[in-house]
Amino acid sequence: MAGTDVASADVVEVDFSRPVAARSVFGLLHGIDMRRPADAMVTPLAPRWWRGDLRSAPYERVRRLGARYIVVLSDLWGYPGANWHGRRPPWEDIDAWSDFVRDLARRHREHDFVWDVWNEPDHPYFWNGTREQFHQTYRAAYAALREELGPRAVISAPSTSAFRWDWLVGLLEYCRLADCEVNALSWS
């Protein structure tokens, strides 16, 4: 679909019943500052993706190293295992969650992010709501990102702790019915 006007695309079909050989992409998680580890240690790894929360890896360095930044929105919001960073769970105040996501999108509009909505919602440290509440949280983030960044923003989920077919299908089915989409499927 590269170069295609997104508004003119009517249907995208994905056939999960037939395996397709694909190369895994290589990326890194968090853990750098502006100087450490030294470029000489990172550059040979040729990371294509770097996943972080804007505090754990500086955007400018990640881009200089040739990687695309995956910003994890939930790392910035908080988790039940960290008392939500003093906030309420997003499903209890969906407007605050939407405003939070919208504000981040406005402040980082010029960055070429992949927007990962929630880290490991299948693990109780990171999520203690229901699957439906996760879907609603995803939908609210999706709507805020689309409103602020338009159709070219890349939004990723469900970012489960392992390959979880039930989570992938569940989110895709939800989005099919709730008029949203997932641009990148992710898991650890």
Side-chain angles (χ1 to χ4, degrees):
M1 248 172 107
T4 302
D5 179 11
V6 175
S8 69
D10 295 325
V11 176
V12 175
E13 292 185 25
V14 179
D15 183 359
F16 288 108
S17 67
R18 291 186 318 196
V20 175
R23 269 188 31 200
S24 292
V25 294
F26 182 73
L28 298 172
L29 301 172
H30 305 284
I32 65 170
D33 62 24
M34 286 306 287
R35 294 181 304 274
R36 293 174 298 179
D39 284 357
M41 294 177 72
V42 179
T43 303
L45 300 173
R48 294 189 54 209
W49 306 95
W50 205 296
R51 195 165 188 262
D53 65 11
L54 304 174
R55 300 171 298 211
S56 65
Y59 176 81
E60 297 78 18
R61 182 159 185 227
V62 166
R63 295 299 291 169
R64 192 178 78 244
L65 290 167
R68 187 159 184 202
Y69 205 105
I70 302 170
V71 66
V72 184
L73 294 171
S74 60
D75 282 0
L76 298 165
W77 177 265
Y79 299 110
N83 197 30
W84 298 104
H85 294 323
R87 294 184 174 96
R88 291 173 35 207
W91 65 87
E92 287 184 4
D93 193 349
I94 208 74
D95 290 337
W97 165 248
S98 295
D99 290 345
F100 171 82
V101 172
R102 190 174 290 106
D103 181 58
L104 278 169
R106 279 186 196 131
R107 287 189 286 133
H108 299 285
R109 178 180 306 280
E110 74 284 357
H111 293 146
D112 184 27
F113 287 152
V114 171
W115 298 86
D116 192 3
V117 174
W118 207 272
N119 182 61
E120 299 184 2
D122 60 330
H123 190 282
Y125 179 89
F126 298 105
W127 186 262
N128 62 1
T130 66
R131 191 114 25 125
E132 181 64 25
Q133 289 166 329
F134 169 73
H135 294 159
Q136 292 166 355
T137 299
Y138 177 85
R139 175 70 175 93
Y142 170 86
L145 291 166
R146 283 286 175 256
E147 181 180 306
E148 289 303 318
L149 303 174
R152 298 223 185 274
V154 177
I155 307 168
S156 175
S159 298
T160 50
S161 61
F163 179 81
R164 298 281 308 269
W165 184 254
D166 57 329
W167 279 80
L168 296 172
V169 171
L171 180 60
L172 292 173
E173 280 296 316
Y174 173 83
C175 283
R176 185 176 65 81
L177 298 172
D179 192 32
C180 59
E181 61 189 28
V182 182
N183 307 119
L185 297 172
S186 58
W187 59 88
S188 297

